[in-house]
Amino acid sequence: MALCGRSALLPPPPRHRPRPRAPGPFVSCSRLRNIQSILTQSSKSQPDGILCILGIDSRYNEGCRELANYLLFGLYNQNNNDFERTGFPEEVLDDIIILIKPDSVHLYCNPVNYNHLLPYVAHWRNLHFHCLTENEYEDEEAAEEFKISSFVDMVRDCSRIGIPYSCQGHLQIFDMFIVEKWPIVQAFALEGIGGDGFFTMKYELMDVSVDLWKTYSKMDPVSLEDLLFEDLMIFEHQWTNFFANFDTEIPFILELSESQAGEPFRSYFSHGMISSHITDNSPSRQPFVLFGSHSTKENLNSGNFNFPSEGHLVRNTGLGGSTAKHMVVQCVSPKGPLACSRTYFFGATHIPFLGNDNEMHKQTDQVTLLSQIYSAVVEAVLAGIECYAKTSTESKAKEVAEQVLLSVLDTVGLAQLKSALRSKIAFQIQAVNNHGRITPLDNEDSLSLIKTASMMVFDIPDLLTGRGCLGSVVFSESFLTSQIQVKEKDGSISPDSRHVILTAAIPRFASWLVEDSDVKLSEKAQEVLKEDKSFLGTLLTGGDGVYICSSNPQAVPAEGKLYFFSDGILFFDPHHGSISISKNHMSSISLYDGDSNSVVAALFIDFKSSLLPHLPVEFHTQNQFLMIALFPKRKIYKAFYSQVFSSWQNQTNSGLSLRVVQEEFLSEEQKRLHSSVQKLFNALSFSSGERCRELKLSAAIPELERFVQHFTVSSVSTKPVMRAHLPVLLQQSETIPDSKAEGDKVIITIITGLPGCRSSDLCAFLVAFTKEHGRWMVYRQTMDSPECFSASHFQRYLAGLLEAQQNLGVRQAAYAGKSKRLLVVLQGYTDVIDVVQALQTHPDPDVKSSFIIGAVNTCVEPLSCYMEHRLLFPKFLDQCSQGLVSNVVFTSHATEQRHPLLVQLQSLIRAANPGVSFILAENGIVTRNEDIELILAESSFSNPQMMRARYLMYPGWYEGKYGAGPVFPPMVQICVWFSRPLEKTRFVTKCKAIKSLLKPSPFSGNIYHIMGKVKFSDADKVIEVCHNTSANSLSLVPVPEGPAPPDSRSDPRDCSSQQEYFLVFIGCSLKEEDIKDWLRETAKQKPQRKALKTRGMLTLQEIKNIHVKRHLDPLPAGYFYNGTQFVNFFGDKMDYHPLMDQFMNDYLEEANREIEKYNRELEEQEYHDLFEQKT
């Protein structure tokens, strides 16, 4: 990038750049893993989780806010206007608690900020939302109680909790009693809804601020983007101000002091250090501006820039008090990692060609010497950076840099200086964190930090007089490396490296004409403009706004005035003075303009060695060519075509004519140079803004785009990637080479989902619908396994399937026209990545290479997604993951596409996987052919974008080394086998009652799903049962008659032949005995023995019945019946027969005989428990 006269193209200081809605999920997940790595360090005292509380609940703790901004990409920055526009109060938007555990994240939020957070967090692995619905949130008291109970639930399994107590630059002494005063932590001690005691007494708290700061300093694509668009812009602006000091004072440069020249750097650094609250002053990281002989080793290392000298002027800091011939400059970012140093010159490094050989002036000898040494230093540093990027070894980089330096000195004829300078060379590479603090290179934290490579050549002697010291030459650049570990076919690991120089836009070479002799020579060259005929021929046209470019890494496009003559050109700018190039010094001239008036017209001039003394040092190149860039829409562009083009093209007297070339005939270096100025032209067409900045950056750092693609992969993980996949990851190819033709492979279609998702229904539909299209095999998970998915069982199945296919022999030809397909149907809390890795890690390479995953489809029953509130069932979002899942099939609410629940779930899934396709299939029945094609796609999973997403989201997946994390809350799968029929009414009643018995967190004993095959006592058919508690749906479908498939149980028992029926219960903390007791209540109950009756057990009705039956029995002597009552001899009246006691005794005797008979018969009957084996 040119700084017109070196400065106009550097941008002004930036205003806050708005963050895109949400950065890519790859960086987000990578940042989360970086934080989680703190919890997995091999230390006895590492915490179980890191707790981040925002807003009033942590008394606005800055450390917590800093962590949230790291994870949420500045969402909670004070200058973020997104929240302000919502109109909600700050305390509602800040209402967030994050608990980060080694393999999961718990997030409390409210329905208001939920939608704002979703794009930032939905792709996090094993994410658990603690959030109320909108209706529930309306009750303020209930909402507060829910927050407290959620906080208690989140930390329940922890014993040591890390607190991000301090933010960077504001280290505070950790005080757990201050944490105890945080409102939400105080509420933890509330009786009834709290955690039963004081938080700080129940948990061990520790400060993790320092570990977090190290993590924040690790560069990733988003922090690199922030650096380029914010920090680097401010950094470059200081150089703009620096150049302005010289460009505006050109007539008075001699009177400039080091203090005046360095004021922009000094103010930038000192003011930044004050606001950074960092007191560490490292001399090697301080800015400086030193002129001429004052740039000695002692002054460079003294760190005295805080007290700059007003007495050291350009005119008195040369040898013996003469004019300085150069200056050394360093700018340092006070609160960031950027720094770079340069050596610039007072005087011309060339003699303008005036038509004959000019003698070298003594005044330029020192400038030429210093510029040649500086040129060698620049090449040496760039070579050292390249070596370090490949080897990550400073000693090797230093060795290469010194070799290159000495080699270039030989090339330019300064071999006599080598011995004198050998001991005065200092090369070093420093790693710097994002606050500008130096970190040792051998520290593992330094791998992802920005580094500065610098070389100084101290105290250069004056070759002419042999006395005195010319001063020193310095050069440094800030750079970032990227290294991907690549696994070759033979299993070996080799690194693939890239690097980018972040400060490349700062001009590496600049000079000002300060000596009268230099100015006069430049003016003399311009006299040809007044002559009718000169050594350059006749003047044709001229104008400003022209750029001269070189492939030399020191050179940036220099803007100035260009005059075309019949036999040459004359270029002028304030820094170089006049550069005259006669056609006698040219080998060829070619023009490339892309046949378009929107393409920069480029004149490529191949020149002879005789031009080198008349060309500034930074334009010297081995391939000896220059490029003159004419921007469209400028006057000089139009004038060239109207007044120069035909003249030069038809010119024959000099033997050199202009030829027009097409793009394919340009060399790679010419293409690179033209691309760079084309981007510069495009950037200048924008007045300002982010797009303008992007184009300018791309022009100044052409390798940036490719580096970012590489860095995006390398910053995610150090896990190796396959060599064949690397071009796809770097977005350089859209095809993935495969050793085995896909037609020879069995295509696996995976259908998965939570229990109750109807994946089996979808499978049955697909098999029935497409049975004529190919050979189908179906794999279902084992029912009596304690885990939802068994990798070893799946691998054995694949091996057996392949062996069976190979044994088909000749019969296989009959199926040649049909595709081979395996449907893998899973229903449970299975993480899809586990299924993929089970195939990837198959112990038999032949089996692994014989199968290919076509597409992964996830079935979703909207009513069966939430455990309570907005807490999703385990692995729900992970079953919709980007890079794995191509389609989400909604198996209910298909006819109600605007149903609020369906819309909300689609929004949630879309945030987690933006590229997923939604398919509506009520009860598993797909109604559109295109949807069936999506489900059965043969290459969706191996799509390059999917492949790239897998590598970036699940590092190590290809070798099966990605840990999916546990199911939480822990789900138990219990399979119960039995041999007796159930009572249908009792079973249905018990199933329907489960939902009302569900308990809140921690959900112990909750049954969420029942499935299996049973027989009811009122029918002979076997019934397939599927009950889902959340949806409160019960399906009872008769099993079709016919041969049954072989039992898939992994551990067949001796009793399996007698036990015909089974039920699988899925839920939290279930116990087999409790499940059996529950199931026994649905079977025919064993009759109970009847107890013998006693007088006290007789009911009034029984007594009345006895009286009715026997009230006409004979009366004893002295009693008579008057028609309504019984009367004795004395006239006493009674309602009951006088012998009623005897009648009741007779009744009891007879009833007890019946009871005893019943009990005897009951004891003689045989009763079988539901789980008793048939004999």
Side-chain angles (χ1 to χ4, degrees):
M1 188 185 296
L3 284 178
C4 234
R6 295 304 202 265
S7 61
L9 297 185
L10 285 183
R15 291 185 291 272
H16 176 70
R17 185 173 61 93
R19 163 65 58 203
R21 185 68 192 98
F26 315 133
V27 183
S28 179
C29 291
S30 175
R31 286 192 172 187
L32 177 61
R33 285 194 299 272
N34 288 341
I35 300 296
Q36 289 173 326
S37 67
I38 296 172
L39 303 173
T40 56
Q41 293 171 354
S42 54
S43 168
K44 293 181 180 178
S45 61
Q46 82 264 18
D48 304 314
I50 295 175
L51 181 63
C52 176
I53 306 171
L54 293 191
I56 187 63
D57 283 315
S58 65
R59 296 186 182 273
Y60 299 99
N61 179 268
E62 286 296 315
C64 289
R65 192 167 68 89
E66 187 175 43
L67 173 56
N69 279 328
Y70 174 74
L71 290 172
L72 305 176
F73 301 95
L75 187 63
Y76 284 91
N77 270 334
Q78 291 174 342
N79 50 6
N80 186 350
N81 297 323
D82 288 350
F83 276 174
E84 289 182 15
R85 287 192 288 269
T86 64
F88 290 102
E90 183 180 286
E91 58 267 23
V92 173
L93 299 170
D94 286 350
D95 187 23
I96 172 176
I97 303 172
I98 306 174
L99 179 70
I100 301 164
K101 302 178 87 170
D103 41 30
S104 63
V105 181
H106 289 264
L107 172 63
Y108 162 80
C109 61
N110 60 54
V112 175
N113 56 25
Y114 171 84
N115 290 319
H116 293 280
L117 292 168
L118 205 55
Y120 295 87
V121 302
H123 36 260
W124 288 355
R125 301 291 294 172
N126 300 312
L127 173 66
H128 308 288
F129 280 108
H130 300 262
C131 179
L132 293 174
T133 62
E134 285 85 352
N135 292 335
E136 293 169 334
Y137 189 66
E138 289 178 1
D139 185 338
E140 290 186 19
E141 187 175 341
E144 282 301 314
E145 288 186 5
F146 175 76
K147 182 200 294 190
I148 298 167
S149 62
S150 295
F151 178 54
V152 173
D153 289 340
M154 290 163 72
V155 299
R156 177 175 282 120
D157 297 331
C158 298
S159 59
R160 291 186 297 273
I161 296 177
I163 305 291
Y165 194 70
S166 305
C167 67
Q168 294 181 88
H170 295 78
L171 180 62
Q172 302 176 52
I173 298 173
F174 181 66
D175 187 343
M176 68 177 184
F177 295 109
I178 290 182
V179 176
E180 184 66 63
K181 291 179 182 178
W182 292 357
I184 188 67
V185 176
Q186 283 183 316
F188 183 88
L190 290 176
E191 291 185 14
I193 57 174
D196 189 26
F198 289 104
F199 187 75
T200 51
M201 293 180 69
K202 194 165 184 178
Y203 300 102
E204 180 186 345
L205 304 186
M206 54 189 66
D207 187 8
V208 291
S209 302
V210 175
D211 289 326
L212 288 172
W213 297 350
K214 293 177 183 176
T215 302
Y216 301 156
S217 283
K218 293 180 179 178
M219 293 298 294
D220 59 38
V222 172
S223 57
L224 175 60
E225 181 185 333
D226 288 339
L227 183 86
L228 293 171
F229 282 85
E230 296 176 11
D231 296 11
L232 184 58
M233 281 180 71
I234 298 173
F235 185 80
E236 289 175 347
H237 186 68
Q238 311 315 311
W239 287 91
T240 303
N241 293 338
F242 169 80
F243 279 105
N245 274 344
F246 288 87
D247 293 343
T248 57
E249 300 288 341
I250 282 181
F252 311 104
I253 282 181
L254 292 173
E255 299 303 319
L256 270 180
S257 68
E258 292 176 349
S259 175
Q260 289 172 295
E263 194 279 331
F265 296 160
R266 187 169 63 254
S267 298
Y268 170 54
F269 184 76
S270 57
H271 293 166
M273 287 298 293
I274 291 170
S275 64
S276 72
H277 298 274
I278 296 176
T279 56
D280 173 26
N281 287 317
S282 172
S284 60
R285 294 291 298 184
Q286 286 192 0
F288 55 73
V289 174
L290 297 170
F291 295 157
S293 301
H294 192 228
S295 60
T296 60
K297 180 177 182 180
E298 179 184 359
N299 290 328
L300 282 168
N301 291 339
S302 65
N304 64 353
F305 189 69
N306 289 328
F307 309 98
S309 169
E310 293 282 356
H312 291 95
L313 312 177
V314 174
R315 64 174 168 79
N316 65 13
T317 46
L319 271 180
S322 62
T323 303
K325 299 301 184 288
H326 76 300
M327 63 175 164
V328 293
V329 186
Q330 176 166 285
C331 181
V332 178
S333 173
K335 294 189 289 187
L338 296 174
C340 73
S341 54
R342 299 287 188 261
T343 300
Y344 295 144
F345 301 95
F346 299 118
T349 60
H350 72 291
I351 301 296
F353 178 69
L354 300 175
N356 50 47
D357 291 331
N358 298 279
E359 294 182 1
M360 297 291 287
H361 290 247
K362 288 187 177 180
Q363 286 88 339
T364 64
D365 285 344
Q366 293 177 4
V367 176
T368 303
L369 172 67
L370 290 168
S371 63
Q372 288 174 330
I373 295 174
Y374 177 63
S375 180
V377 167
V378 173
E379 283 194 47
V381 170
L382 298 181
I385 290 174
E386 188 170 351
C387 176
Y388 183 83
K390 293 177 180 176
T391 64
S392 299
T393 308
E394 184 186 18
S395 57
K396 290 182 180 177
K398 181 178 180 180
E399 184 181 340
V400 166
E402 291 178 352
Q403 286 176 354
V404 169
L405 174 68
L406 299 176
S407 171
V408 175
L409 290 179
D410 276 340
T411 305
V412 297
L414 296 178
Q416 70 274 26
L417 264 181
K418 286 168 59 176
S419 57
L421 296 182
R422 197 181 295 271
S423 62
K424 299 181 178 183
I425 301 170
F427 176 86
Q428 67 174 351
I429 294 177
Q430 293 176 324
V432 189
N433 66 20
N434 62 353
H435 274 258
R437 303 303 97 193
I438 295 172
T439 301
L441 277 178
D442 55 3
N443 189 322
E444 63 176 342
D445 294 326
S446 71
L447 294 175
S448 53
L449 300 183
I450 288 175
K451 298 168 183 70
T452 301
S454 64
M455 178 176 275
M456 297 187 180
V457 180
F458 297 111
D459 303 340
I460 300 168
D462 179 20
L463 285 181
L464 295 176
T465 64
R467 302 188 306 273
C469 163
L470 297 176
S472 306
V473 166
V474 302
F475 178 75
S476 69
E477 295 279 28
S478 289
F479 68 98
L480 183 61
T481 60
S482 173
Q483 192 172 86
I484 300 173
Q485 300 300 322
V486 182
K487 191 168 187 178
E488 308 291 349
K489 278 187 176 180
D490 60 3
S492 62
I493 305 291
S494 59
D496 185 90
S497 304
R498 297 279 192 283
H499 71 277
V500 65
I501 297 173
L502 300 170
T503 46
I506 309 302
R508 291 172 177 162
F509 197 99
S511 61
W512 291 267
L513 305 182
V514 296
E515 297 281 2
D516 287 343
S517 56
D518 292 333
V519 174
K520 288 176 181 177
L521 273 175
S522 177
E523 291 174 348
K524 189 174 182 180
Q526 294 177 49
E527 290 177 2
V528 297
L529 297 173
K530 302 173 185 177
E531 300 172 5
D532 294 334
K533 185 80 173 178
S534 67
F535 62 93
L536 292 178
T538 307
L539 176 64
L540 299 177
T541 188
D544 53 15
V546 178
Y547 288 86
I548 184 169
C549 315
S550 166
S551 60
N552 189 321
Q554 295 178 49
V556 291
E559 184 182 10
K561 294 182 178 180
L562 182 69
Y563 297 94
F564 288 99
F565 291 82
S566 57
D567 294 320
I569 59 173
L570 174 66
F571 179 84
F572 172 81
D573 78 335
H575 291 275
H576 300 100
S578 300
I579 303 173
S580 50
I581 306 176
S582 165
K583 287 190 177 180
N584 294 330
H585 291 132
M586 301 180 189
S587 304
S588 66
I589 313 174
S590 53
L591 171 70
Y592 167 72
D593 60 9
D595 292 329
S596 169
N597 57 10
S598 62
V599 175
V600 172
L603 278 172
F604 293 102
I605 299 174
D606 292 315
F607 59 83
K608 302 173 183 176
S609 301
S610 57
L611 180 65
L612 290 175
H614 310 296
L615 203 59
V617 169
E618 73 263 36
F619 293 142
H620 292 195
T621 57
Q622 289 185 344
N623 46 21
Q624 295 189 350
F625 83 86
L626 291 172
M627 183 180 81
I628 306 293
L630 304 174
F631 283 8
K633 301 178 183 177
R634 293 191 176 178
K635 290 181 179 179
I636 186 67
Y637 179 88
K638 298 173 183 176
F640 170 78
Y641 281 99
S642 62
Q643 301 176 44
V644 180
F645 180 76
S646 58
S647 172
W648 276 22
Q649 198 172 29
N650 301 323
Q651 201 170 46
T652 55
N653 56 345
S654 66
L656 197 65
S657 60
L658 175 68
R659 59 190 181 90
V660 179
V661 295
Q662 300 302 315
E663 186 177 7
E664 58 266 26
F665 296 106
L666 298 180
S667 69
E668 288 302 316
E669 195 60 39
Q670 289 173 332
K671 287 179 182 178
R672 185 188 68 79
L673 268 184
H674 184 269
S675 171
S676 180
V677 293
Q678 183 67 46
K679 290 172 183 174
L680 187 56
F681 167 70
N682 295 339
L684 293 175
S685 63
F686 293 86
S687 58
S688 62
E690 195 161 317
R691 180 58 182 158
C692 175
R693 173 64 178 165
E694 285 176 6
L695 289 166
K696 286 183 178 179
L697 269 175
S698 184
I701 315 174
E703 68 274 16
L704 179 62
E705 187 176 346
R706 294 191 67 183
F707 174 83
V708 170
Q709 291 173 349
H710 194 277
F711 187 57
T712 300
V713 179
S714 70
S715 62
V716 162
S717 171
T718 57
K719 299 279 176 61
V721 304
M722 301 304 294
R723 172 64 69 184
H725 298 160
L726 187 60
V728 169
L729 297 184
L730 300 180
Q731 297 178 304
Q732 297 169 355
S733 171
E734 288 297 315
T735 57
I736 303 170
D738 202 324
S739 56
K740 192 169 185 177
E742 288 193 10
D744 298 333
K745 296 188 176 188
V746 176
I747 298 163
I748 299 177
T749 298
I750 298 175
I751 302 174
T752 185
L754 296 177
C757 67
R758 302 180 185 270
S759 58
S760 296
D761 294 344
L762 177 61
C763 171
F765 168 80
L766 292 173
V767 171
F769 184 82
T770 56
K771 59 186 176 183
E772 298 300 324
H773 294 78
R775 295 177 50 214
W776 292 82
M777 296 150 283
V778 179
Y779 171 83
R780 290 183 172 86
Q781 66 206 71
T782 56
M783 289 297 181
D784 54 356
S785 170
E787 52 194 359
C788 294
F789 173 74
S790 170
S792 57
H793 184 275
F794 182 56
Q795 290 174 341
R796 288 196 301 271
Y797 176 86
L798 294 179
L801 185 62
L802 183 63
E803 184 180 356
Q805 281 199 324
Q806 292 170 344
N807 291 339
L808 283 174
V810 179
R811 285 179 294 163
Q812 197 170 9
Y815 299 95
K818 298 185 178 183
S819 63
K820 296 170 286 186
R821 188 180 294 271
L822 169 63
L823 281 181
V824 176
V825 184
L826 304 170
Q827 185 171 279
Y829 307 102
T830 304
D831 204 313
V832 180
I833 193 68
D834 287 334
V835 185
V836 174
Q837 291 189 132
L839 175 61
Q840 289 299 127
T841 58
H842 199 290
D844 187 338
D846 289 338
V847 175
K848 176 181 172 182
S849 63
S850 298
F851 293 87
I852 183 171
I853 298 175
V856 178
N857 309 278
T858 298
C859 293
V860 172
E861 156 58 271
L863 294 173
S864 305
C865 298
Y866 292 107
M867 297 184 73
E868 63 173 4
H869 313 301
R870 281 191 177 161
L871 179 65
L872 294 159
F873 273 97
K875 298 295 180 180
F876 172 78
L877 278 179
D878 302 312
Q879 289 186 350
C880 304
S881 292
Q882 187 173 356
L884 297 173
V885 179
S886 300
N887 310 298
V888 170
V889 183
F890 293 95
T891 55
S892 77
H893 295 73
T895 57
E896 305 172 79
Q897 295 187 26
R898 302 312 302 167
H899 191 284
L901 179 60
L902 184 64
V903 171
Q904 186 203 14
L905 283 171
Q906 288 181 340
S907 154
L908 173 65
I909 295 168
R910 183 70 71 198
N913 187 351
V916 74
S917 298
F918 290 151
I919 296 171
L920 300 176
E922 190 75 27
N923 298 323
I925 299 172
V926 187
T927 56
R928 303 193 318 164
N929 286 336
E930 52 265 42
D931 289 340
I932 295 176
E933 291 173 4
L934 286 174
I935 293 171
L936 299 178
E938 299 184 359
S939 59
S940 175
F941 186 79
S942 54
N943 175 287
Q945 286 76 26
M946 294 279 281
M947 171 74 76
R948 185 169 185 267
R950 278 196 296 282
Y951 267 107
L952 298 180
M953 293 283 282
Y954 320 104
W957 74 276
Y958 197 79
E959 296 180 309
K961 293 181 179 178
Y962 180 82
V967 172
F968 183 89
M971 290 289 176
V972 179
Q973 179 171 305
I974 295 176
C975 184
V976 180
W977 290 83
F978 51 94
S979 55
R980 309 287 171 179
L982 304 179
E983 297 295 312
K984 184 175 182 179
T985 305
R986 297 178 68 90
F987 181 78
V988 171
T989 304
K990 289 282 287 181
C991 286
K992 292 293 184 182
I994 293 176
K995 186 168 185 177
S996 62
L997 300 174
L998 291 180
K999 303 171 190 171
S1001 178
F1003 315 108
S1004 180
N1006 287 357
I1007 298 173
Y1008 291 108
H1009 196 71
I1010 303 172
M1011 56 185 175
K1013 294 179 181 178
V1014 303
K1015 182 182 282 187
F1016 293 119
S1017 58
D1018 61 352
D1020 292 333
K1021 288 188 176 182
V1022 176
I1023 304 295
E1024 186 167 336
V1025 174
C1026 183
H1027 171 73
N1028 187 267
T1029 305
S1030 300
N1032 207 16
S1033 62
L1034 176 62
S1035 168
L1036 303 174
V1037 180
V1039 175
E1041 295 182 359
D1047 192 355
S1048 64
R1049 283 180 284 172
S1050 56
D1051 55 343
R1053 289 163 279 193
D1054 296 337
C1055 58
S1056 61
S1057 60
Q1058 290 82 28
Q1059 293 180 317
E1060 305 169 33
Y1061 318 119
F1062 71 91
L1063 283 174
V1064 177
F1065 291 77
I1066 301 174
C1068 285
S1069 305
L1070 301 181
K1071 297 177 182 176
E1072 187 167 350
E1073 281 308 311
D1074 294 340
I1075 294 299
K1076 286 185 175 181
D1077 290 342
W1078 184 93
L1079 203 53
R1080 283 188 180 102
E1081 294 179 19
T1082 67
K1084 185 177 181 181
Q1085 301 297 296
K1086 180 180 179 180
Q1088 299 292 318
R1089 283 174 58 91
K1090 293 182 180 179
L1092 296 177
K1093 284 182 175 290
T1094 63
R1095 285 281 293 269
M1097 296 169 62
L1098 292 176
T1099 64
L1100 286 175
Q1101 187 61 44
E1102 284 180 304
I1103 293 172
K1104 286 181 181 180
N1105 291 342
I1106 295 170
H1107 180 259
V1108 169
K1109 183 179 180 181
R1110 301 192 64 176
H1111 76 282
L1112 297 178
D1113 281 16
L1115 293 169
Y1119 284 88
F1120 69 94
Y1121 183 60
N1122 64 8
T1124 58
Q1125 290 178 311
F1126 296 93
V1127 184
N1128 66 8
F1129 181 77
F1130 300 104
D1132 299 328
K1133 297 177 181 180
M1134 296 181 292
D1135 291 329
Y1136 289 104
H1137 196 289
L1139 299 178
M1140 191 62 185
D1141 285 345
Q1142 180 62 42
F1143 296 161
M1144 287 193 291
N1145 290 336
D1146 293 345
Y1147 173 80
L1148 287 173
E1149 186 176 340
E1150 183 180 352
N1152 284 336
R1153 278 198 300 269
E1154 289 294 326
I1155 290 173
E1156 287 173 350
K1157 180 182 177 183
Y1158 172 83
N1159 286 343
R1160 283 195 301 272
E1161 290 175 353
L1162 185 63
E1163 288 175 1
E1164 291 171 2
Q1165 288 180 5
E1166 185 179 10
Y1167 172 78
H1168 297 283
D1169 181 71
L1170 180 64
F1171 302 101
E1172 184 180 327
Q1173 299 177 19
K1174 284 186 177 180
T1175 54

